[in-house]
Amino acid sequence: MDPCKYRPSSSYDASFTTTNAGGPVWNDDVALTVGSRGPILLEDYHLIEKVAHFARERIPERVVHARGASAKGFFECTHDVTHLTFADFLRAPGVQTPVIVRFSTVIHERGSPETIRDPRGFAVKFYTREGNWDLLGNNFPVFFIRDGIKFPDVIHAFKPNPKSNVQEYWRVLDFLSHLPESLHTFCFLYDDVGVPLNYRHMEGFGVNTYTFINKAGKTNYVKFHWKPTCGVKCMLEDEAVVVGGKNHSHATQDLYDSIAAGNYPEWKLFVQVMDPDEEDKYDFDPLDDTKTWPEDLLPLQPVGRLVLNRNIDNFFNENEQLAFSPGIIVPGIYYSDDKMLQCRTFAYGDTQRYRLGPNYLMLPVNAPKCAHKNSHYDGLMNFMHRDEEVNYYPSRHDRLRNAERFPINNRPIIGKREKCTIEKQNDFKQPGERYRSWAPDRQERFVRRWVEALAHPKVTFEIRTIWVSYLSKCDASLGQKVANRLNMKPSM
């Protein structure tokens, strides 16, 4: 083919995955890591290209979490956790830290109804004395995938059909039929909690595994849980239709009106803590974000409370320009080798630089409230006044120094470069336990939602068979019920 006459067209598609430059990609399922569990290597060019391109697919609204509402308030440490972390804002009970919180739906555009069955985002920005900390999570404790290289794919599957611009769940079921670990999140999405009553009555979870580090340098894995003091409440389908038909911004209005009336939403923060040296005793990988940690083995420990007592002053400035990134941490809190978290630390900041510009952290809502300085100069929309002549480090004219050293996660990493999945996948145990914990009427609604999704005419018999098999592996009676209503024979 004459390259000078070539016009990009899907007519020339290869039969295998390639990079944008046409290079073959031999493994588009897992990221390149050190060892089987991570961390991810930046030299995985296809991963970086794939995620970077994904972050730039939509302008000007967020690629995901476009529909959201924000409020301001404070976080108060209520319990002594200094044995777990030396984070300054957790230094003692009674310490308060200003915060801004953004709630959101995930998939649909800014004007979409807030009654759609969809995960909800729960993002908190802490303005601490040692810089900002962004804790991003959802109202589900788990996610559909465990490897960040599949994040663009799962969102593409949930997004509207690129041909018709209509969201069609046959696409979701097709894609996720290749990823049985997604079934655990379906046990939340297709459960009643898939449509929260509003933002005030919903839980929040950090989803990924982070680490706490204490002054002695001891590292522990940690999971974050937000529990609303007013309880968890949800809407069933009939109620969602009525509420959404009357007001497609019902959750945004409920949050704003409640705060304006002095009915301040409040959540309690709890953590689960695991010693990394004891992780082998569990039948799941603690760095797998498709798994929850059993609370009977790793109980919830109270940390503090979150109170939202102020509405935002301007929706665009403090909601649309509000930007979060899991990469933004404070001393005493660090990442783990969780593959999804490793990818998110790059991806979120990257998409914010694209959406808002390289100086998005100068915007008042995103800027730290403590003193700060570095040599990150110029760039689009830089509005910081500077008198310095030195914009490099080190310098004998500007005596800027490194901060005082503090412990970070220094657990040794040994492994070879490889693309492989984790060893302890165990994808069906936890979904089965969750299903069996429900009352019969709740189980019935879960079954009905599965049947409705699998009955779509574009869901092939092969895909139906795969999902019935997955459901049967979780719980034999669950697979049998779904198969019977689809006039299928369940297979284990």
Side-chain angles (χ1 to χ4, degrees), residues 301-312:
Q301 302 182 37
V303 176
R305 68 186 187 115
L306 170 69
V307 179
L308 300 181
N309 58 5
R310 294 169 55 206
N311 278 312
I312 56 177

Side-chain angles (χ1 to χ4, degrees), residues 93-113:
V95 173
Q96 291 191 357
T97 302
V99 300
I100 187 167
V101 179
R102 187 175 189 270
F103 306 101
S104 57
T105 56
V106 175
I107 294 300
H108 297 278
E109 63 277 4
R110 285 188 301 198
S112 56

Side-chain angles (χ1 to χ4, degrees), residues 4-71:
C4 297
K5 296 181 179 180
Y6 174 72
R7 181 170 67 90
S9 168
S10 58
S11 302
Y12 303 118
D13 280 354
S15 59
F16 50 84
T17 301
T18 73
T19 65
N20 283 349
V25 175
W26 69 270
N27 189 329
D28 192 25
D29 291 313
V30 292
L32 183 66
T33 57
V34 178
S36 64
R37 298 170 62 201
I40 288 175
L41 294 174
L42 192 62
E43 70 188 58
D44 190 341
Y45 173 81
H46 178 60
L47 165 67
I48 300 303
E49 178 182 80
K50 184 175 183 178
V51 175
H53 186 280
F54 171 72
R56 291 161 173 79
E57 288 181 355
R58 300 287 190 277
I59 57 173
E61 69 179 29
R62 291 168 168 86
V63 179
V64 287
H65 299 277
R67 170 60 133 141
S70 303

Side-chain angles (χ1 to χ4, degrees), residues 23-186:
V25 175
W26 69 270
N27 189 329
D28 192 25
D29 291 313
V30 292
L32 183 66
T33 57
V34 178
S36 64
R37 298 170 62 201
I40 288 175
L41 294 174
L42 192 62
E43 70 188 58
D44 190 341
Y45 173 81
H46 178 60
L47 165 67
I48 300 303
E49 178 182 80
K50 184 175 183 178
V51 175
H53 186 280
F54 171 72
R56 291 161 173 79
E57 288 181 355
R58 300 287 190 277
I59 57 173
E61 69 179 29
R62 291 168 168 86
V63 179
V64 287
H65 299 277
R67 170 60 133 141
S70 303
K72 296 181 281 191
F74 66 89
F75 174 81
E76 180 181 6
C77 180
T78 58
H79 291 73
D80 184 0
V81 291
T82 54
H83 61 294
L84 296 173
T85 176
F86 63 91
D88 178 73
F89 76 102
L90 299 175
R91 63 188 178 275
V95 173
Q96 291 191 357
T97 302
V99 300
I100 187 167
V101 179
R102 187 175 189 270
F103 306 101
S104 57
T105 56
V106 175
I107 294 300
H108 297 278
E109 63 277 4
R110 285 188 301 198
S112 56
E114 293 178 310
T115 50
I116 292 177
R117 184 170 297 277
D118 192 29
R120 267 46 171 189
F122 194 124
V124 184
K125 186 181 293 291
F126 298 76
Y127 300 104
T128 86
R129 301 192 308 181
E130 293 188 317
N132 294 350
W133 176 43
D134 290 354
L135 176 57
L136 291 83
N138 290 331
N139 67 321
F140 303 160
V142 289
F143 196 58
F144 294 97
I145 56 174
R146 59 167 65 99
D147 196 304
I149 201 170
K150 304 309 295 177
F151 187 70
D153 297 300
V154 70
I155 299 301
H156 282 167
F158 272 94
K159 285 283 190 180
N161 186 319
K163 185 174 183 178
S164 65
N165 199 40
V166 176
Q167 187 188 37
E168 298 172 323
Y169 260 75
W170 66 265
R171 293 162 30 85
V172 175
L173 298 176
D174 173 29
F175 169 67
L176 291 177
S177 68
H178 298 274
L179 300 165
E181 68 264 30
S182 65
L183 192 53
H184 198 186
T185 308
F186 273 117

Side-chain angles (χ1 to χ4, degrees), residues 237-444:
E237 283 79 353
D238 291 345
E239 184 181 3
V241 169
V242 173
V243 172
K246 292 180 178 179
N247 181 3
H248 79 296
S249 300
H250 82 282
T252 296
Q253 183 171 355
D254 174 82
L255 179 66
Y256 190 94
D257 290 349
S258 296
I259 294 174
N263 182 21
Y264 302 141
E266 181 174 337
W267 287 261
K268 304 292 187 182
L269 177 62
F270 297 87
V271 293
Q272 287 178 285
V273 180
M274 180 190 295
D275 187 333
D277 293 329
E278 298 180 357
E279 63 176 272
D280 290 341
K281 69 168 64 173
Y282 303 103
D283 62 3
F284 60 90
D285 191 321
L287 306 185
D288 180 355
D289 70 348
T290 71
K291 300 294 184 290
T292 55
W293 294 1
E295 294 181 14
D296 58 335
L297 302 177
L298 299 161
L300 297 180
Q301 302 182 37
V303 176
R305 68 186 187 115
L306 170 69
V307 179
L308 300 181
N309 58 5
R310 294 169 55 206
N311 278 312
I312 56 177
D313 301 307
N314 180 278
F315 185 81
F316 181 78
N317 288 346
E318 297 180 303
N319 185 79
E320 293 305 294
Q321 293 194 126
L322 177 57
F324 297 89
S325 170
I328 297 177
I329 55 175
V330 292
I333 301 174
Y334 205 74
Y335 323 109
S336 74
D337 293 338
D338 179 328
K339 288 188 179 185
M340 278 296 297
L341 178 59
Q342 288 270 318
C343 183
R344 292 175 75 214
T345 59
F346 161 77
Y348 279 63
D350 185 54
T351 192
Q352 303 297 5
R353 293 182 195 99
Y354 166 67
R355 189 173 70 90
L356 298 171
N359 293 298
Y360 76 97
L361 290 174
M362 288 186 186
L363 293 167
V365 72
N366 299 321
K369 308 308 179 190
C370 61
H372 58 285
K373 182 179 180 180
N374 55 49
S375 297
H376 302 169
Y377 266 64
D378 302 334
L380 185 68
M381 298 300 289
N382 186 324
F383 55 85
M384 179 179 291
H385 176 72
R386 294 181 186 264
D387 292 320
E388 300 99 332
E389 294 182 290
V390 173
N391 60 350
Y392 48 85
Y393 175 84
S395 167
R396 301 189 192 281
H397 292 275
D398 184 344
R399 298 294 182 176
L400 188 67
R401 60 179 176 81
N402 284 321
E404 188 173 324
R405 184 173 180 176
F406 53 83
I408 63 171
N409 183 359
N410 60 357
R411 291 181 63 80
I413 300 170
I414 300 175
K416 60 183 180 181
R417 292 179 175 89
E418 55 185 328
K419 281 178 173 274
C420 60
T421 58
I422 63 173
E423 295 179 0
K424 289 193 289 188
Q425 298 184 23
N426 202 358
D427 293 325
F428 304 107
K429 178 184 177 182
Q430 291 190 2
E433 291 173 343
R434 178 169 173 81
Y435 172 77
R436 287 186 291 274
S437 72
W438 296 335
D441 60 330
R442 190 169 176 179
Q443 291 181 346
E444 169 60 26

